[in-house]
């Protein structure tokens, strides 16, 4: 089952690395244009009644009805604003696959400070309400999104979560198959955040190896639900990327019917084959144990070379 989505959940989970406890200048003009409406601020929170972030060519933009950013350690209003802007910029990059070399150094520098804050046990939370993203002729809207990132003193890993509700799409291929809601809970080493942030929002020649453990990944479309957990080593080189995990789908028959209805017959046939090799769960769902390594996908013990 291979489809190309504008909303890759694996990418989406990494947006939560955009929180930083240090002072930084606003993104370079060649990276992004940022505007904010009414502001309420304390030493640990900043809330805007409206916000927009767009690329310099205005082909990609994010509009947020309300944005609120809260941290566990006191900071200035400028710090809070810059940190919230960085998170929003990465959200756009992850969801639409837009990368801008002018953002790389700015994001990497913030990532270096993020690792320090997490190792000191700090935590960061960002929420959006009534947001929409436009990218050329395509669009994504959502009623809410919540991002969190936290660390423990003396420990190298950061815990993160991302939840999105009320997702809707415009002019996106196979959009009827994309999730209406999604959630991911995962952890990754704090030291790997700087390179990861630069890779998501910018363009770098580096291919950082990021070790991710996903404790819960879920998505829902009508009565169809997808769930899973696992681990992965992500790099910019497909042959050096590896992953293993467990995936479950509830109501796969409904999914097959949806795929047939939009004329994706090859995908429908692939789903039928996937159902045949699946394990039947006690709750009626279909499950697969899969590994990916060296260009070989193994599903429930069956190797499938993909090169």
């Amino acid at each position: 089952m291979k489809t190309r989505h504008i909303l890759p959940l694996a990418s989406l989970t990494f947006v939560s690395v955009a929180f930083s406890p240090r002072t930084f200048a606003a993104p370079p003009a060649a990276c992004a244009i940022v505007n904010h409406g009414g502001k309420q601020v304390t030493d640990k929170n900043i809330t805007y009644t409206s916000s927009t972030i767009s690329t310099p060519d205005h082909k990609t933009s994010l509009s947020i009805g309300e944005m609120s950013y809260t941290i566990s350690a006191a900071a200035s209003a400028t710090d809070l604003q810059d940190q919230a802007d960085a998170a929003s910029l990465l959200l756009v990059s992850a969801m639409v696959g837009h990368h801008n070399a002018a953002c790389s150094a700015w994001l990497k520098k913030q990532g270096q400070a993020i690792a320090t804050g997490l190792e000191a046990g700090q935590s960061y939370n960002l929420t959006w309400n009534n947001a929409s993203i436009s990218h050329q002729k395509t669009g994504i809207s959502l009623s809410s999104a919540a991002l969190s990132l936290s660390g423990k003193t003396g420990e190298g890993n950061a815990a993160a979560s991302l939840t999105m509700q009320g997702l809707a799409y415009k002019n996106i291929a196979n959009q009827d198959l994309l999730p209406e809601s999604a959630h991911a809970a995962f952890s990754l080493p704090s030291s790997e955040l700087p390179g990861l942030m630069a890779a998501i929002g910018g363009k770098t020649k580096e291919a950082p190896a990021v070790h991710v453990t996903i404790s819960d990944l879920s998505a829902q479309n009508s009565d169809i639900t997808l769930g899973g957990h696992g681990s992965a080593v992500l790099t910019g080189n497909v042959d050096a990327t590896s992953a293993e995990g467990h995936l479950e789908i509830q109501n796969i028959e409904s999914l097959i019917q949806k795929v047939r209805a939009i004329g994706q017959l090859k995908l429908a046939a692939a789903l039928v084959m996937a159902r045949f090799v699946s394990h039947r769960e006690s709750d009626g769902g279909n499950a697969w144990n899969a590994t990916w390594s060296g260009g070989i996908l193994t599903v429930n013990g069956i190797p499938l070379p993909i090169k």
Side-chain angles (χ1 to χ4, degrees):
M1 181 172 65
K2 183 179 181 181
T3 59
R4 185 175 182 178
H5 292 165
I6 197 171
L7 187 68
L9 289 176
S11 293
L12 276 176
T13 57
F14 297 139
V15 179
S16 54
V17 304
F19 310 136
S20 166
R22 300 285 185 85
T23 302
F24 295 98
C31 170
I33 300 169
V34 181
N35 291 288
H36 293 295
K39 176 173 70 176
Q40 294 180 339
V41 61
T42 69
D43 63 345
K44 295 183 180 180
N45 170 267
I46 194 165
T47 298
Y48 295 104
T49 56
S50 63
S51 300
T52 61
I53 296 178
S54 64
T55 55
D57 60 9
H58 299 287
K59 291 183 179 180
T60 302
S61 64
L62 166 68
S63 297
I64 307 169
E66 182 182 76
M67 176 168 62
S68 181
Y69 177 64
T70 303
I71 65 178
S72 61
S76 70
T78 300
D79 296 343
L80 292 166
Q81 176 174 321
D82 290 346
Q83 295 161 23
D85 290 346
S88 297
L89 176 61
L90 287 181
L91 174 68
V92 175
S93 298
M95 293 184 74
V96 303
H98 175 80
H99 308 284
N100 183 348
C103 302
S104 300
W106 182 68
L107 292 171
K108 185 172 184 177
K109 186 176 180 180
Q110 296 185 67
Q112 291 166 347
I114 293 168
T116 300
L118 291 170
E119 289 169 2
Q122 296 179 12
S123 62
Y124 315 89
N125 294 276
L126 184 71
T127 60
W128 295 269
N129 289 310
N130 300 320
S132 62
I133 297 173
S134 63
H135 178 60
Q136 298 180 353
K137 295 182 179 180
T138 65
I140 303 172
S141 62
L142 60 157
S143 60
S144 66
L147 231 60
S148 68
L149 184 67
S150 62
K152 292 184 178 180
T153 303
E155 293 189 11
N157 281 358
S161 68
L162 169 64
T163 300
M164 310 185 83
Q165 301 285 344
L167 288 158
Y169 311 91
K170 178 182 178 182
N171 296 330
I172 296 176
N174 301 323
Q175 62 189 41
D176 291 340
L177 304 179
L178 296 179
E180 299 164 351
S181 62
H183 171 76
F186 62 100
S187 63
L188 71 166
S190 303
S191 61
E192 295 177 354
L193 296 183
L196 178 61
M197 290 176 63
I200 292 175
K203 285 184 177 179
T204 65
K205 295 181 179 180
E206 301 173 0
V210 180
H211 300 77
V212 181
T213 300
I214 302 172
S215 57
D216 180 39
L217 177 67
S218 62
Q220 184 166 2
N221 179 314
S222 187
D223 63 339
I224 304 164
T225 59
L226 178 149
H229 55 82
S231 61
V233 178
L234 307 177
T235 74
N237 181 347
V238 174
D239 289 333
T241 297
S242 62
E244 62 178 356
H246 179 80
L247 178 68
E248 297 182 16
I249 295 179
Q250 293 286 337
N251 295 319
I252 192 172
E253 292 295 341
S254 294
L255 177 58
I256 293 172
Q257 291 173 11
K258 275 199 168 196
V259 171
R260 286 173 174 164
I262 62 174
Q264 294 288 339
L265 300 184
K266 289 184 179 180
L267 178 56
L271 286 170
V272 170
M273 292 297 295
R275 182 186 59 190
F276 285 145
V277 299
S278 68
H279 298 309
R280 194 69 173 174
E281 299 292 276
S282 59
D283 58 5
N286 295 81
W288 301 264
N289 293 312
T291 62
W292 167 269
S293 181
I296 303 294
L297 176 66
T298 302
V299 179
N300 288 348
I302 301 174
L304 304 171
I306 302 176
K307 276 196 173 183

